[in-house]
Amino acid sequence: MANIQKYLEEATRFFNSLATELGNPENTDQAYRLTSAFFHTLRERITVVESFHFIAQLPLILKGIYVDGWKPSEYNKSETVEEFLYDVRQHSLKTASIDFGSDQEARDNIEAVIRILRHYISDGEIEHVKAQLPPAIAELFKKGDITA
């Protein structure tokens, strides 16, 4: 049971950090939804091998969110940020208007997820993920950089 508690604490820290980053520390439900929609959109754009490298660095519960419902044969080759944002919204249909309302709000929320993920994912792995994305979509990761 001790390990389960550890995993829950790691996930709670992640979602609390993201909710705080979003400016609403009590709204961990939104933090979960944003993370899930982002993960499910990202995994359709990078190779399965790269996905495994990416999730290897995540806390266990976040790994579960990433792979939940995953069909590795599904691959999306969208080129623009607008297409990426559309797909993120498709992964959060019931709450898309709340979580990803305007394009700017969607970008801001995705960049917040990326900033918090940078506490878990190495810079090298982030660079590998960005290398598999079209430049316009990879730009979301640049804007999500943590400044020193």
Side-chain angles (χ1 to χ4, degrees):
M1 283 304 258
N3 281 342
I4 292 172
Q5 188 61 37
K6 179 184 109 180
Y7 301 140
L8 289 173
E9 289 170 6
E10 288 175 336
T12 299
R13 270 193 305 279
F14 177 87
F15 292 122
N16 284 340
S17 295
L18 181 53
T20 299
E21 182 75 16
L22 294 165
N24 193 352
E26 278 77 50
N27 200 347
T28 55
D29 288 344
Q30 181 188 36
Y32 170 84
R33 293 189 310 263
L34 294 173
T35 302
S36 178
F38 173 73
F39 280 172
H40 294 177
T41 304
L42 178 66
R43 72 187 187 195
E44 294 172 351
R45 282 161 181 77
I46 62 177
T47 66
V48 172
V49 170
E50 194 59 51
S51 281
F52 286 138
H53 289 293
F54 182 80
I55 66 174
Q57 297 180 27
L58 293 175
L60 184 64
I61 291 176
L62 294 180
K63 290 175 186 179
I65 294 167
Y66 190 97
V67 301
D68 184 41
W70 189 16
K71 295 177 180 75
S73 61
E74 292 179 2
Y75 192 73
N76 186 318
K77 288 226 174 224
S78 62
E79 295 290 324
T80 68
V81 172
E82 291 74 21
E83 291 169 330
F84 187 84
L85 298 178
Y86 173 83
D87 291 335
V88 166
R89 288 179 178 112
Q90 293 303 301
H91 285 291
S92 63
L93 285 176
K94 292 180 183 177
T95 60
S97 63
I98 296 167
D99 297 333
F100 302 104
S102 69
D103 281 356
Q104 188 58 53
E105 183 180 5
R107 284 175 190 250
D108 291 346
N109 288 347
I110 289 168
E111 290 168 3
V113 172
I114 293 167
R115 281 192 299 277
I116 300 304
L117 282 171
R118 285 185 167 276
H119 294 284
Y120 300 86
I121 305 295
S122 70
D123 290 341
E125 183 54 33
I126 293 289
E127 291 304 314
H128 289 197
V129 169
K130 286 170 40 177
Q132 292 196 1
L133 298 171
I137 297 170
E139 184 69 24
L140 292 170
F141 284 82
K142 291 178 185 174
K143 291 180 182 177
D145 288 349
I146 295 174
T147 55

